[in-house]
Amino acid sequence: MKKPLQLFWSFFKIGAFTLGGGYAMLSMVEKAVVDQKKWIPTDEFWDMIAVVQSLPGVFAVNTALYVGHRVAGTKGAFAAMLGAIIPSITIILLLATVFREYRDQPVVERIFKGIRPCVVALILAPSLRMIKSAKVTWKTAIIPIATVFLIWWCKISPAYVILAAIAGSLVYALIINKKAKEKEVRS
Amino acid sequence: MIYLQLLWVFVKIGVLGFGGGYAMLSLIQHEVVDHYGWMTMTDFADMVAISQMTPGPISINLATYVGYTTAGLGGSLLASFALCLPSIIMVYLILKLFMSNKNNALMDNTLKGLKPAIAGLIFAAGLSMMNLQNFPDFGRGQYNISVIICVLAFVASYFFKANPILLIVISGIIGFIVY
């Protein structure tokens, strides 16, 4: 089988069977690409993932594109990407037609009435975990608080908030890098 | 017109969606619910639940659903493609620009600085969903079952890292029994 086709099939299986978002998918990608096919060495794979994680966009799509590109060029990149998203698109299209048909059924409405508050909790919980892992102090707590205030209270588009945050973080990173360099020069 | 709007909205989300699927929720919510009104907040909550229980990226699922409900099959394919378009361009640009170690340190530190803001972004998406549509029995002098479900799910998820699919299924069963 040709490489792009193999890539498509590997990512199709991963896209069709991994629940729980992008990161749950990683070990499956590693197994397929590194262990079984031996397309990419382990350390190079994780270096690549480190770069991909820092990019905007859909994590699974980015991973597929980079792995595909590394293994088989442009054809590989597109084959892997299509493999990763076709299962999702198909499943949602099928569900969307069914859901529209049945959502006004009292039984379905009752079930979703119970689910909605749970979804709110499932969104709030990881955001607080993220604050913990980002080591936010009392001084830096102003950043998430301001973000919430601007988006939730002032209804400012998150797009502007993200752009402002990127600008701020970049300045912060430049200062840190400069300090690190000065230290190097001194020692 | 609707095609152009879908293209613009999802390209924007693809460009600015830092920090994974949940971080994108806030962007999608703002555009799709608040700005264009393509979905209600309850539709949005339902789709997040469905996305959690089906395989695949949550943002692709939402793009497909929004595209489908606003402009049919063509709309769903266009919205999903638009979401991937910035990533496709990036493979070729960033691979060459940022693979060097020098730039990596700068990018790492930028992302570290970005993280608290992304956490705030996700929190805001959750807060925006706390409305009377998603919590219909709030403040009506009844037992506030929706609030109880939310608090219990939060505790289970935050402190005990409970499986989200399991929590959704249990909440659905509770909803079926009590409502």
Side-chain angles (χ1 to χ4, degrees):
Chain A
M1 215 176 3
K2 279 186 180 157
K3 268 185 182 173
L5 209 61
Q6 284 182 320
L7 278 164
F8 175 84
W9 183 234
S10 293
F11 277 93
F12 185 88
K13 281 188 288 187
I14 291 163
F17 295 113
T18 20
L19 286 160
Y23 296 95
M25 172 199 85
L26 266 188
S27 61
M28 271 182 86
V29 177
E30 192 196 13
K31 212 170 130 196
V33 172
V34 180
D35 300 343
Q36 289 171 358
K37 310 271 188 206
K38 302 201 189 317
W39 279 329
I40 304 174
T42 313
D43 45 341
E44 196 195 328
F45 176 76
W46 288 107
D47 283 350
M48 240 161 106
I49 295 301
V51 175
V52 171
Q53 267 174 336
S54 57
L55 297 175
V58 188
F59 181 57
V61 170
N62 288 342
T63 307
L65 281 166
Y66 280 78
V67 169
H69 188 270
R70 164 71 177 71
V71 173
T74 300
K75 268 188 197 162
F78 278 91
M81 180 190 81
L82 289 176
I85 63 173
I86 284 176
S88 290
I89 294 176
T90 316
I91 291 168
I92 293 298
L93 281 177
L94 289 175
L95 278 176
T97 43
V98 175
F99 188 59
R100 278 171 125 191
E101 196 101 340
Y102 291 99
R103 71 166 310 171
D104 294 329
Q105 298 275 322
V107 174
V108 177
E109 180 53 27
R110 269 153 68 195
I111 292 171
F112 274 93
K113 244 179 163 176
I115 287 177
R116 283 168 204 145
C118 173
V119 168
V120 173
L122 287 178
I123 294 173
L124 292 178
S127 74
L128 290 185
R129 265 205 297 272
M130 206 164 166
I131 285 181
K132 226 170 148 190
S133 83
K135 300 199 175 70
V136 174
T137 59
W138 287 110
K139 232 161 95 188
T140 51
I142 182 76
I143 300 171
I145 291 170
T147 310
V148 169
F149 178 74
L150 288 172
I151 294 174
W152 179 62
W153 192 257
C154 307
K155 298 268 175 220
I156 286 176
S157 167
Y160 296 121
V161 177
I162 292 172
L163 287 174
I166 291 173
S169 310
L170 195 63
V171 171
Y172 163 81
L174 284 170
I175 292 171
I176 284 191
N177 274 28
K178 211 179 159 196
K179 271 187 187 159
K181 251 183 211 154
E182 277 167 7
K183 237 184 204 169
E184 239 171 63
V185 171
R186 249 180 258 149
S187 61
Chain B
M1 194 55 202
I2 182 73
Y3 288 112
L4 274 180
Q5 284 174 339
L6 283 170
L7 186 71
W8 166 237
V9 162
F10 284 99
V11 163
K12 202 156 66 175
I13 292 164
V15 171
L16 292 170
F18 285 92
Y22 270 32
M24 282 178 162
L25 284 185
S26 174
L27 279 164
I28 300 176
Q29 193 185 61
H30 179 86
E31 298 289 346
V32 166
V33 180
D34 297 339
H35 194 270
Y36 287 101
W38 287 330
M39 268 172 128
T40 64
M41 213 45 119
T42 35
D43 283 338
F44 188 78
D46 294 352
M47 272 317 294
V48 173
I50 288 174
S51 294
Q52 284 281 357
M53 291 191 288
T54 55
I58 198 166
S59 45
I60 291 280
N61 290 351
L62 280 166
T64 304
Y65 184 79
V66 171
Y68 180 74
T69 49
T70 50
L73 184 65
S76 71
L77 296 179
L78 178 78
S80 309
F81 171 73
L83 187 61
C84 299
L85 190 62
S87 298
I88 295 169
I89 295 167
M90 261 183 301
V91 188
Y92 293 95
L93 286 182
I94 307 276
L95 259 185
K96 301 197 166 79
L97 287 175
F98 284 94
M99 274 304 206
S100 73
N101 281 332
K102 198 188 90 198
N103 286 327
N104 254 349
L106 185 67
M107 207 148 89
D108 273 357
N109 285 326
T110 306
L111 283 166
K112 247 178 230 160
L114 203 54
K115 223 173 166 188
I118 290 173
L121 213 69
I122 301 173
F123 194 83
L127 272 185
S128 303
M129 291 167 80
M130 283 191 171
N131 57 18
L132 278 177
Q133 278 86 54
N134 289 332
F135 292 80
D137 51 8
F138 182 73
R140 297 250 173 108
Q142 311 158 336
Y143 295 108
N144 286 320
I145 290 154
S146 56
V147 178
I148 295 169
I149 291 176
C150 184
V151 171
L152 289 180
F154 180 85
V155 170
S157 172
Y158 185 78
F159 293 103
F160 302 104
K161 295 205 170 127
N163 183 333
I165 298 168
L166 184 72
L167 291 178
I168 290 174
V169 170
I170 293 173
S171 312
I173 293 170
I174 295 175
F176 177 73
I177 294 169
V178 297
Y179 289 116

